[in-house]
């Protein structure tokens, strides 16, 4: 797995930030065109690429498609972190370096998440 390209990142961020479940190429194009010079076909082909890569689901709505993310922003970030952990050398050292660099608030959040996960694993075993 790799991260998104520049336009893929912009589109995924906008899709994740939306208050609606699905969106169209036209809706995203209209937003982007108000801020930058971009072609409709560029947005369309990028969203099609994101669909082919599995990042977006889609269904027909008349002549257009409605798109939605196949995972949350947080699930995507977790996958990237898991990938980095797997290719970064000794995972215990990677985690140690990661923890050294996070803020106190992030550390507290990590501890809380670890406690919740430990409790969940005890319940399922």
């Amino acid at each position: 797995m790799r991260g998104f390209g520049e336009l893929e990142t912009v589109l995924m961020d906008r899709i994740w930030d939306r208050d609606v479940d699905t969106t169209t190429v036209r809706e995203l194009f209209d937003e982007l065109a108000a801020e930058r010079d971009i072609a409709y076909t560029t947005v369309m082909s990028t969203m099609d690429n994101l669909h082919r890569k599995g990042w977006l689901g889609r269904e027909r709505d008349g002549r257009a498609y409605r798109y939605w993310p196949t995972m949350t922003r947080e699930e995507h970030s977790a996958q990237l972190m898991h990938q980095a952990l797997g290719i970064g050398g000794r995972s215990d050292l990677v985690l140690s370096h990661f923890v050294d660099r996070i803020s106190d608030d992030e550390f507290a959040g990590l501890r809380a998440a670890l406690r919740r996960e430990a409790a969940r694993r005890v319940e399922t075993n």
Side-chain angles (χ1 to χ4, degrees):
M1 176 192 305
R2 52 184 276 272
F4 298 125
E6 182 182 339
L7 183 56
E8 289 176 332
T9 299
V10 169
L11 291 174
M12 289 303 297
D13 281 341
R14 287 182 184 256
I15 291 168
W16 279 321
D17 289 342
R18 297 179 89 70
D19 290 333
V20 294
D21 292 335
T22 65
T23 193
T24 64
V25 171
R26 172 62 60 192
E27 291 165 347
L28 287 177
F29 168 75
D30 288 345
E31 285 179 26
L32 290 173
E35 302 167 8
R36 60 165 71 179
D37 186 27
I38 191 165
Y40 177 88
T41 54
T42 301
V43 176
M44 181 177 64
S45 63
T46 303
M47 289 179 72
D48 184 59
N49 287 341
L50 287 165
H51 174 259
R52 279 188 302 100
K53 293 176 181 180
W55 299 112
L56 293 177
R58 74 179 181 195
E59 65 183 4
R60 275 254 185 233
D61 183 16
R63 291 178 36 190
Y65 284 106
R66 295 207 67 79
Y67 290 87
W68 62 89
T70 57
M71 66 179 61
T72 66
R73 176 184 278 128
E74 293 77 13
E75 289 169 330
H76 174 255
S77 295
Q79 281 192 345
L80 290 175
M81 291 169 66
H82 187 258
Q83 178 190 19
L85 189 60
I87 63 171
R90 288 185 36 205
S91 60
D92 59 328
L93 293 178
V94 173
L95 284 170
S96 178
H97 288 294
F98 172 74
V99 169
D100 284 345
R101 288 167 176 75
I102 62 176
S103 70
D104 289 343
D105 287 344
E106 291 166 331
F107 185 79
L110 177 59
R111 289 185 70 180
L114 288 170
R115 273 190 243 112
R116 285 191 305 273
E117 181 60 20
R120 186 193 67 78
R121 288 184 183 205
V122 167
E123 289 174 4
T124 60
N125 288 332

